[in-house]
Amino acid sequence: MTNYVNEIQRRRTFAIISHPDAGKTTLTEKLLLYGGAILSAGSVKGKKANKHAVSDWMEIEKQRGISVTSSVLQFEYNDFCINILDTPGHQDFSEDTYRTLMAADSAVMVIDASKGVEAQTKKLFKVCLLRKIPVFTFINKMDRAAMNPFELLEHIEIELGIATYAMNWPIGSGKEFKGVYERDHHRIIAFHGGDHGQKAAEVSEGTLEDETFRGVLGDHFFEQLREESELLDIASTEFDQELISKGELTPVFFGSALTNFGVEPFLSHFLDMTTSPLPRESTQGEINPMDERFSAFVFKIQANMNKAHRDRIAFMRICSGRFEKGMEVMHMQQNRKIKLSQPQQFMAQDREIVEEAYAGDVIGVFDPGIFSIGDTLCDPSMKFEFKKIPTFAPEHFARVTQKDTMKRKQFTKGITQIAQEGAIQVFQEINIGMEEIIVGGVGVLQFEVLEQRLKSEYNVDIKLEILPFQCVRWIDDQALDPNTLNLTSDSKRVRDLKGRNLIIFMNNWGIKWALEQNKGLTLSDVGTAE
Ligand code: G4P
C-alpha cells in the first residue's frame, strides 16, 4: 500500500511551452540527457525541414534512435519519475497544447533571451493562469546577444502579469557570456562556450563580498555582477514557495540549452520546487491523487497514430490511484463499464503494453469512437465526473460545404467525430442546419488536415472557403436569446456542438461595439462547459 503512495509522490508531470524556435525541443533533449534517456548531447539537427511535424519528439526519436512516446516522455532522475507531456511544435496545432496543459501539474516556459515574451508564449501562459499551476521560466540562448536581464524580468512581469524571482543571474551575454551566479548557493558556474556535453561546468563558490570571483570574471564583470546582484536583492520580489505553487511567482533561470549550460541546475531546482500530482476538481469535490481508487480523464484523442493501424487513441491522464492492465473502469459519459485491456504507451513504430501506471502518468487506450475530450474514467465505486476541459477560442474560420450532397450522412459523421477529437471546432449558424457549417481553428493547417481526413477516412469531398472573421466569443449568459442582441451586421450568431451560443466577430472592434450596445452582456474567450 505504502508503495503506491511513494510511486505517486515521486511523480512530476509537466509540459514545456514556448513560442516556436525559443528552444523547447533543444531543452527537452537536454533534459533527456540528464535523465539518462539518451547518451550524448548534441543539438537536434535538420529540424528546419520538418517544422510541420506535429510532434517534435518524433524528430528527436528519429535523430537519436531512442524510444520516445508521442504523447508523454517518461524518465527517471534522482528518484523522481518524470513525465514530460508532449506539446506540438507547430503553432497551428496549439489547441492541442492548451488541452495538454490541462493534464500537466506544472509548466516550464522557455523564452528566447533576445526576444522576450512572444505571442504564442502569451497564449499558452493564459492557460497556465486558468489552471493556477506553477510556471518555471528558462531564459534560453544566453550564448547569443540578449536583452538586458532586468528588462527581461520586467517584460515577463508586464506582459504576463506574474511576479518573477531570478534563481540565477547571467554574467554578460553573447560572445561575452561568462556564466551564471547562483543566488542561493553563492556560486558562479562558468561558461566556456561550445558544447558542454555531459561534463560538469567549472564552479566557484563564495559570497560576492569576498574577492573570490574577481579572478574568475575579471574586474569589469565582477563589479557589474556585484552591482546587479545588490540591485536585485533590493528591487526584486522575495522568494516565496507558496506563491510559486499557486502560479503567482515564476522562478527564472538563465541558460543556454544548445550548449547544455544551466540545464542540470535548472532541472534539480525545478524538481525541488515543482509539485507531485495535484488534486483535481470533480462533481464530487476534489479527487485526491492518493486515493487508491483509479480515476483518469481523456485530454487528447489522436487519429491515425500509425498509418498501418489507422485507429484512434484516447490519451488519459491518471488522476488518482493505480492502474493495472485489464482493469474494469466506469466510463461516466457513456454510463457503462469498460475494460482497459490494451493500454499502451506509444513509440514511433512500436506500441508497448503498460502493465501498471500511477496518478500523474498518461496512458493511451484504443478508442472505437466512444471517447470525447474531457471524459471521465473511474473505479466503479466512485461515480463522478471531472470538471470539463474548457474550449479555447479559435482565430481562423472557414465555411465548409460538401461537394456531393448525397453524402450528407458521412459528412455529418466525419465532421462530428473529428470535432469530438478536438481536432477542429464546429459552429452552426443559428437557424441553419448541418449542410453548411463554419469550422474554427487556431491555425489554417487544421483546415488542411480536416479536408484530407474527410476525404481519406470518410470519402467525402468538401469545399473550404476561408472567412475573414478573427474572433469568437461565448456568451456568458446562455439563457440570453442571441437574436435580441444588437450586433454589427458583419457579426454572426452561432452555436457550437455542445449547443452553447457564441458570436463570431470580424475583429476586436466588433466585440467592443457589442459590449457597448448591449448593456449587461459579458463574453468569454474560453468556453467552460456546464
Ligand atoms: P523549438 O522547439 O522551441 O521550436 O526550438 P528548437 O529547440 O528547435 O530551437 C530553435 C533553434 O534555436 C534551433 O536552431 C536551435 O539549435 C537553436 N537553439 C536552441 N537553444 C539554443 C541556445 O541555447 N543557443 C543558441 N545559440 N541556439 C539555440 P535552428 O537553426 O533552427 O536548427 P538547427 O539547424 O540548429 O537544428
Side-chain angles (χ1 to χ4, degrees), residues 294 313-316 318 323-327 339-346 351-357 362-367:
F294 169 87
I313 303 296
F315 288 97
M316 51 192 77
I318 304 177
F323 164 82
E324 235 173 88
K325 189 181 112 187
M327 81 194 302
K339 204 169 176 184
L340 298 179
S341 50
Q342 294 279 309
Q344 298 166 341
Q345 279 184 337
F346 283 84
R351 306 172 166 211
E352 198 177 76
I353 305 290
V354 182
E355 296 293 332
E356 59 170 19
V362 167
I363 52 169
V365 299
F366 175 69
D367 175 19

Side-chain angles (χ1 to χ4, degrees), residues 11-12 29 40 65 74 102 221 243 245 263 293 352 380 428 436 485-486 489 510:
R11 273 162 166 75
R12 298 288 182 272
E29 191 197 36
S40 66
Q74 191 176 65
M102 291 291 148
F221 284 108
L243 290 182
S245 302
V263 176
R293 292 167 299 176
E352 198 177 76
Q428 291 168 56
E436 189 189 277
L485 292 173
N486 186 3
S489 58

Side-chain angles (χ1 to χ4, degrees), residues 269-331:
H269 277 96
F270 163 69
L271 290 171
D272 280 344
M273 288 187 269
T274 191
T275 170
S276 55
L278 292 171
R280 300 269 154 173
E281 280 179 52
S282 81
T283 47
Q284 301 279 307
E286 271 193 354
I287 302 298
N288 184 343
M290 297 300 168
D291 191 319
E292 61 185 304
R293 292 167 299 176
F294 169 87
S295 70
F297 71 90
V298 176
F299 68 96
K300 174 172 169 173
I301 297 176
Q302 196 161 335
N304 306 320
M305 282 282 294
N306 183 330
K307 289 251 153 38
H309 293 261
R310 278 199 61 152
D311 52 13
R312 212 159 103 136
I313 303 296
F315 288 97
M316 51 192 77
R317 145 91 197 215
I318 304 177
C319 298
S320 67
R322 176 172 180 268
F323 164 82
E324 235 173 88
K325 189 181 112 187
M327 81 194 302
E328 202 174 54
V329 298
M330 190 73 190
H331 179 201

